[in-house]
Amino acid sequence: MNENILGLVAGVLTSVSMIPQLIKVIREKNVEDISLLMLLVLISGLSLWVWYGFEKDELPIIISNAFAVLVNISLLICYIRYNNKK
């Protein structure tokens, strides 16, 4: 299998893994079970992967991780919006 295709498939699968969580949060407007620290660490790590992808000129790394950053930033926005803790 072509390594770019393998990278894209792996990237797509890992990138879309948070979409069900995002959909659930949007539907229920409940972020009680979401860890803010986990989201911040994950977004930071994914952002570094995007940077690494640019450094190595690896499109599969850039695309999949940039998409994952957007999904997780959306989840972070929902966390901020729906968090009922004072």
Side-chain angles (χ1 to χ4, degrees):
M1 178 182 267
N2 181 312
E3 65 183 35
N4 281 334
I5 292 173
L6 180 63
L8 282 171
V9 170
V12 166
L13 291 175
T14 56
S15 297
V16 300
S17 66
M18 290 299 282
I19 290 179
Q21 184 68 57
L22 179 60
I23 291 169
K24 182 178 183 207
V25 165
I26 290 170
R27 281 187 182 154
E28 297 177 5
K29 296 178 178 30
N30 182 356
V31 292
E32 231 176 86
D33 297 328
I34 305 289
S35 167
L36 177 61
L37 180 59
M38 181 274 305
L39 273 177
L40 295 174
V41 170
L42 183 57
I43 291 168
S44 299
L46 291 167
S47 298
L48 289 173
W49 272 113
V50 172
W51 183 6
Y52 176 81
F54 276 111
E55 292 292 324
K56 295 293 186 179
D57 196 29
E58 292 287 340
L59 197 57
I61 293 173
I62 297 166
I63 291 172
S64 60
N65 287 290
F67 179 75
V69 167
L70 293 175
V71 170
N72 285 287
I73 286 176
S74 299
L75 192 54
L76 177 62
I77 291 167
C78 288
Y79 182 91
I80 292 166
R81 184 173 180 189
Y82 302 134
N83 189 12
N84 294 327
K85 296 178 185 172
K86 306 257 187 263

